[in-house]
Amino acid sequence: MAANTDRRRINAPSGGTSAPIFAKTVKDPQYQQSLRPTRTRGPDELRKIFLQTGIIPSASGSAYLEIPGQPRSSSTLIPSSSSLKITASIQGPKPLPRSAPFSPSLLLTTTVKFAPFATRNRRGYIRDSVERDLGVHLESALRGVIIGERWPKSGVEIVITILEGDEDGWWGDSAGEGSGWGLLNVLSGCITVSSAAITDAGIDCVDMVSGGVAALVREPSQTGKEGALVKVLDPCPSEHQDIIAACAVGYLAGRDEITELWVRGNVQEDSDQLIEGATHAAFGGLTVMKEVLLESLEAKFKGFTEKSTDAKGGDSGGDIEMSG
C-alpha cells in the first residue's frame, strides 16, 4: 500500500512484458538476396498511376500524383521498393510588383522541394543543388507549353513537394546509393503533375505535357558472362541490379515535340531507341491525365449547374407533366 502512495517511485506496469524475438538479421547475404525485388511487369508495361486534381482549395490549381511500389514482404518490415508521391500547387497568374521591370509575357517560377522524410536519408529543410537542378529541368519542360503572351507583367509560381521519392537503387546494394537513377522518375512525375495542376488552374497552354522514362538494363546471367541489354519503360531502380543508361523526357503528344530531355549513363548507339521508349512511356501518362481532367471538368460543370438551378428558385424537382 505504501508503494502506491509514494509519488517518487515509478510503478511497474500491471501486465507482464516479454523480450523481443528477432527472426533473422539483414546482414546475412543469402537472406538479403531473397528479399531483392524483381520486375514482374513486361518491358513495355507501365506502373499504375493515381492522379487527382483540386486537392488544395486555396491554390489556383493543384494536383497529386502517386505511383505505388511493390507490396511489402511479410518476412521483413523494410519495403522492397519505394513509391512516388508528388503534390503540385499553382500560385497565380498574379501581377508582378511595381518595382519589377516590364515583362511582355508570363514569368514562370518553379520550386521543387523534397520533404525531410521523402527518402531513406533524411533531407534538410533548405533546398540543395539536386532540388535546384530538378527545378531548372521542370522549368525548361513547361516554359514552351504555357502561352505567356496572354498575361503581360504577370507571374505564376509552381510549387512541387515530393512526399516520397523513388530510390536510386535497392536498399541492400551500396552501389545504388547516390547514382541518381531515381531522380529521372521524380522529374517525370513532376512534369506530369505540374501539367495537370496548370490545366486545373485554367492557364492557357498549347498542349498538355507529360513525362516518361526509359532505361537500358543488363539482364542477370547465370553463366558468368555479361547479360544482354534490354530496353524497359518506366523502370524502378530497385528492381534492376545493373542500369546502363536512362532517359527522361517531357513530351507534347499533340505536336510530337520534346520539351525536355535528360539522359544519364552510357547510351552507346541506342540513344534514339531510348528516347523513343521514353516518349511511349510519356504517352501512357498522358492518357491517364486526360481521363482525370475530363472527370474533374465534368464534376465542376455539374456543381455549377446545380448551383445555378438552386439560385433560380430550386426548380430541379423534375419535369411537370401538363394535361389538356
Side-chain angles (χ1 to χ4, degrees):
M1 192 67 181
N4 295 331
T5 57
D6 190 357
R7 296 182 179 180
R8 294 173 296 178
R9 184 177 302 174
I10 300 176
N11 298 326
S14 58
T17 59
S18 58
I21 300 175
F22 299 93
K24 291 184 180 180
T25 174
V26 295
K27 295 183 179 180
D28 187 2
Q30 296 181 356
Y31 177 61
Q32 280 187 338
Q33 294 302 323
S34 65
L35 299 177
R36 176 183 290 277
T38 57
R39 184 183 177 104
T40 57
R41 301 174 284 128
D44 297 336
E45 185 178 356
L46 307 178
R47 289 177 290 182
K48 295 183 179 179
I49 300 176
F50 175 80
L51 183 64
Q52 184 178 356
T53 59
I55 62 171
I56 304 177
S58 59
S60 304
S62 58
Y64 170 77
L65 180 139
E66 179 177 350
I67 301 179
Q70 289 191 3
R72 189 189 303 270
S73 176
S74 59
S75 60
T76 180
L77 297 177
I78 304 177
S80 57
S81 62
S82 60
S83 59
L84 187 62
K85 301 176 182 178
I86 305 176
T87 62
S89 63
I90 308 296
Q91 304 295 333
K94 53 187 177 182
L96 294 176
R98 294 184 177 181
S99 59
F102 176 78
S103 175
S105 60
L106 183 69
L107 293 181
L108 176 64
T109 305
T110 57
T111 304
V112 179
K113 185 70 183 73
F114 281 89
F117 49 83
T119 56
R120 298 188 189 277
N121 298 328
R122 188 173 179 85
R123 308 186 72 96
Y125 293 94
I126 302 176
R127 295 178 64 199
D128 54 14
S129 60
V130 174
E131 295 166 335
R132 288 192 292 268
D133 290 343
L134 287 175
V136 172
H137 284 290
L138 179 61
E139 183 179 353
S140 300
L142 301 177
R143 187 184 298 115
V145 178
I146 300 175
I147 305 177
E149 293 77 11
R150 303 280 178 89
W151 293 275
K153 202 179 180 181
S154 300
V156 61
E157 184 179 5
I158 302 177
V159 181
I160 302 294
T161 304
I162 303 170
L163 302 177
E164 185 173 355
D166 214 346
E167 299 292 340
D168 294 336
W170 184 50
W171 59 268
D173 293 335
S174 58
E177 298 180 359
S179 58
W181 299 118
L183 294 178
L184 299 175
N185 291 333
V186 171
L187 176 62
S188 172
C190 291
I191 294 174
T192 303
V193 72
S194 299
S195 180
I198 290 173
T199 309
D200 183 61
I203 300 176
D204 295 340
C205 301
V206 296
D207 195 5
M208 290 186 298
V209 61
S210 58
V213 182
L216 288 176
V217 299
R218 191 178 300 279
E219 290 185 342
S221 178
Q222 303 296 337
T223 60
K225 299 180 180 179
E226 290 187 354
L229 293 178
V230 179
K231 182 186 70 175
V232 295
L233 306 185
D234 190 18
C236 182
S238 60
E239 297 176 352
H240 305 286
Q241 296 184 10
D242 193 4
I243 301 179
I244 305 301
C247 172
V249 300
Y251 183 59
L252 286 173
R255 294 191 170 191
D256 195 18
E257 296 179 0
I258 294 178
T259 60
E260 174 60 23
L261 178 64
W262 188 12
V263 181
R264 292 178 64 95
N266 186 9
V267 182
Q268 301 176 358
E269 296 85 7
D270 300 330
S271 59
D272 294 339
Q273 296 182 3
L274 195 62
I275 296 174
E276 184 180 358
T279 56
H280 287 317
F283 188 79
L286 179 64
T287 305
V288 177
M289 186 164 51
K290 286 183 177 180
E291 294 180 358
V292 171
L293 293 175
L294 182 60
E295 293 178 359
S296 176
L297 188 62
E298 291 177 352
K300 287 182 179 180
F301 272 106
K302 183 178 179 181
F304 177 76
T305 304
E306 291 177 355
K307 289 182 180 179
S308 61
T309 304
D310 295 340
K312 291 180 180 179
D315 297 335
S316 58
D319 297 336
I320 301 177
E321 183 179 357
M322 300 181 63
S323 59

